[in-house]
């Protein structure tokens, strides 16, 4: 669990009761959050690109809503409904495999991360 103290606690107090759009604006302007992001982004063995470097990378999220698997991709105008699903990992594999197939030789740049509850 993430400790709810310090900058995180202050952020949640500041945005309590705001609309999602207003919360996003506060987050975009938050100096402590920007500093935390920057310090985390430069850790680890990976080479960190210059801030101005052009990148062709982004995040895509898969989620089950009302029994259907949705793909949330910020480059698309709306969520993509991939049909009925009961398990985001198992049912998401078919969509992810198709996406990797479309990437072709650049598939080595494709990374999958799963955040889920322990079901044991």
């Amino acid at each position: 669990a993430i400790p709810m103290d310090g900058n995180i606690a202050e952020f949640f107090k500041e945005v309590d009761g705001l609309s999602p759009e207003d919360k996003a604006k506060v987050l975009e302007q938050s100096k402590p959050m920007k500093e935390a992001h920057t310090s985390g982004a430069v850790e680890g063995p990976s080479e960190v690109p210059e801030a101005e470097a052009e990148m062709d990378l982004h995040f895509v999220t898969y989620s089950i809503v009302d029994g259907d698997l949705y793909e949330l991709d910020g480059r698309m105008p709306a969520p993509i409904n991939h049909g009925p699903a009961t398990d985001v990992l198992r049912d998401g594999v078919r969509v992810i495999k198709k996406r990797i197939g479309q990437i072709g030789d650049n598939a080595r740049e494709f990374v999958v991360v799963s955040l889920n509850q322990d079901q044991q």
Side-chain angles (χ1 to χ4, degrees):
I2 298 173
M4 294 301 289
D5 57 7
N7 292 330
I8 289 276
E10 289 301 316
F11 172 76
F12 279 104
K13 283 182 199 171
E14 188 174 352
V15 299
D16 187 38
L18 296 180
S19 70
E21 292 82 9
D22 288 338
K23 288 178 183 179
K25 288 176 187 172
V26 171
L27 179 60
E28 288 171 353
Q29 301 301 318
S30 172
K31 186 175 178 181
M33 292 297 184
K34 182 177 181 177
E35 289 170 355
H37 169 76
T38 301
S39 71
V42 298
E43 291 181 5
S46 300
E47 183 179 320
V48 179
E50 295 295 323
E52 297 80 26
E54 229 178 273
M55 302 297 292
D56 187 30
L57 304 172
H58 69 290
F59 292 95
V60 176
T61 297
Y62 297 91
S63 183
I64 295 177
V65 178
D66 295 332
D68 284 347
L69 179 68
Y70 283 88
E71 178 178 344
L72 305 173
D73 182 340
R75 294 181 177 180
M76 301 304 220
I80 301 166
N81 186 334
H82 290 287
T86 56
D87 183 298
V88 73
L89 295 176
R90 189 179 2 220
D91 297 321
V93 166
R94 66 182 160 83
V95 176
I96 292 170
K97 282 184 176 180
K98 182 178 177 183
R99 187 177 192 111
I100 290 173
Q102 293 169 339
I103 294 171
D105 291 342
N106 291 326
R108 68 190 183 319
E109 297 178 3
F110 191 92
V111 177
V112 176
V113 177
S114 171
L115 302 175
N116 58 321
Q117 292 179 333
D118 184 359
Q119 298 180 6
Q120 294 179 352

